[in-house]
Amino acid sequence: MRGLKKHKNANPFLVPVDPVALGIPHYANIVKKPMDFATIERKLFATGLDEGTGTRPYRTVDEWIADVHLVFQNCYLFNGDVHPVSKMAQTVEMAFNKLLKKMPSADDTGPLAANSPDDDGSQAATPALRNHAPLPPDSNSATSELLAQQLRYCGKILDHLYKPEYASFAWFFYNPVSEQDIPGYHKVITKPMSMAVMREKLDAGKYPDPQAFRADFDQIIWNCNKFNPVGSVAQACAKQLKDIFEKRWKLMPKGSKAPAASGSVKNPKAAQPSLEPRKSL
């Protein structure tokens, strides 16, 4: 999915079609089963965690492939083959078919793997297909239960940020930035972070406490503000994402005292990167 979303012609297919905004109220009369990349990703994230997602997860790779092709079929159905948007769809679909040829052949119709090859043949750092992440050990059962609740809630925050209605600005932060995408990025940003990496760490039980999860999110925002100039679209998108995160963060389950797993910093704020400009790169 990462390779498709980065395609220069993918923009019309990133989020669900809005008939009102686009002035096409008859869209639903023609396209009976709408599909888009944001919905596909949401279904990917639901795979491995069936209950409470509100989304039917993919059971096989073939189901995922069918949904991606449905995005393009809907476009051709509504616009016809010669419309400019259909021409864009054709180029993205060709790119998708090329990516499919690089997909491992083993268990093609079996359960979805967590990662699929990127367009350059490397392993894409897409969010892992979620399961019940292992919890950090804790000798105190009450503290351990609260910590478990908080880490589960961190997953819910991440799920919320991936909602399709936020895709127009959140997509900037979905996946890691590569040197191929933005040459020189890693000379400026020495600690890259993305929502995909946060998902992988959360699923693997690598966060000792919610403060560590929070620190990685703050790192995403800090990196964006560091690399992009004031007033840029990227900074505006980062602010929108941060505002949503803060609203959800306030609802974090709390005990009599916030837990601090062994090895974590005593002052949670210390784990959060400052947004003050660094003196040197």
Side-chain angles (χ1 to χ4, degrees):
M1 290 306 303
R2 189 177 83 163
L4 286 183
K5 288 167 55 182
K6 288 179 179 178
H7 195 284
K8 63 180 181 180
N9 291 331
N11 192 60
F13 318 109
L14 295 177
V15 298
V17 172
D18 187 338
V20 176
L22 296 176
I24 47 174
H26 57 296
Y27 182 82
N29 296 330
I30 299 174
V31 177
K32 302 300 182 182
K33 189 179 178 183
M35 187 54 60
D36 61 274
F37 291 170
T39 299
I40 291 172
E41 278 200 323
R42 184 172 58 180
K43 293 175 71 173
L44 278 172
F45 302 149
T47 302
L49 186 63
D50 300 354
E51 65 276 7
T53 61
T55 302
R56 182 182 181 275
Y58 291 119
R59 302 298 183 183
T60 67
V61 172
D62 286 343
E63 289 184 359
W64 166 69
I65 293 174
D67 268 0
V68 176
H69 281 305
L70 181 60
V71 173
F72 308 125
Q73 292 165 6
N74 288 343
C75 177
Y76 306 144
L77 175 64
F78 186 79
N79 299 295
D81 294 336
V82 297
H83 192 279
V85 176
S86 294
K87 295 295 185 182
M88 296 172 71
Q90 291 169 11
T91 62
V92 182
E93 187 172 25
M94 289 176 61
F96 176 64
N97 290 332
K98 289 181 180 179
L99 288 173
L100 286 182
K101 293 179 180 179
K102 298 179 181 180
M103 181 176 290
S105 58
D107 298 325
D108 277 350
T109 57
L112 278 168
N115 295 313
S116 59
D118 201 354
D119 50 356
D120 62 357
S122 62
Q123 197 72 10
T126 52
L129 298 179
R130 201 148 26 93
N131 51 29
H132 296 287
L135 298 174
D138 196 302
S139 57
N140 186 297
S141 59
T143 302
S144 179
E145 176 57 29
L146 176 59
L147 181 58
Q149 291 178 10
Q150 291 180 325
L151 289 174
R152 283 195 293 269
Y153 185 74
C154 287
K156 291 181 180 180
I157 292 178
L158 209 50
D159 289 343
H160 188 76
L161 296 181
Y162 271 112
K163 282 190 172 183
E165 55 260 44
Y166 306 140
S168 61
F169 55 87
W171 71 268
F172 277 91
F173 315 103
Y174 283 167
N175 297 300
V177 176
S178 68
E179 280 295 316
Q180 184 178 0
D181 297 329
I182 307 178
Y185 179 83
H186 293 282
K187 293 181 180 179
V188 179
I189 302 302
T190 56
K191 188 179 178 182
M193 184 52 59
S194 67
M195 291 166 60
V197 173
M198 290 179 67
R199 169 58 68 194
E200 290 175 353
K201 291 176 67 174
L202 189 63
D203 288 350
K206 293 184 178 180
Y207 287 120
D209 51 43
Q211 286 75 29
F213 172 86
R214 167 66 190 249
D216 272 355
F217 177 82
D218 285 344
Q219 187 71 50
I220 292 176
I221 304 302
W222 192 94
N223 289 347
C224 178
N225 291 336
K226 172 68 176 178
F227 189 81
N228 299 284
V230 175
S232 64
V233 172
Q235 281 206 12
C237 289
K239 183 181 184 304
Q240 286 180 280
L241 189 71
K242 182 174 174 62
D243 288 345
I244 295 169
F245 180 92
E246 295 294 354
K247 290 179 181 178
R248 309 302 294 188
W249 184 259
K250 290 178 181 179
L251 303 177
M252 174 73 67
K254 297 179 178 65
S256 57
K257 187 176 182 180
S262 58
S264 63
V265 292
K266 294 182 178 180
N267 180 7
K269 293 183 179 180
Q272 301 175 17
S274 169
L275 295 181
E276 292 297 323
R278 292 175 179 172
K279 294 183 180 179
S280 61
L281 300 181

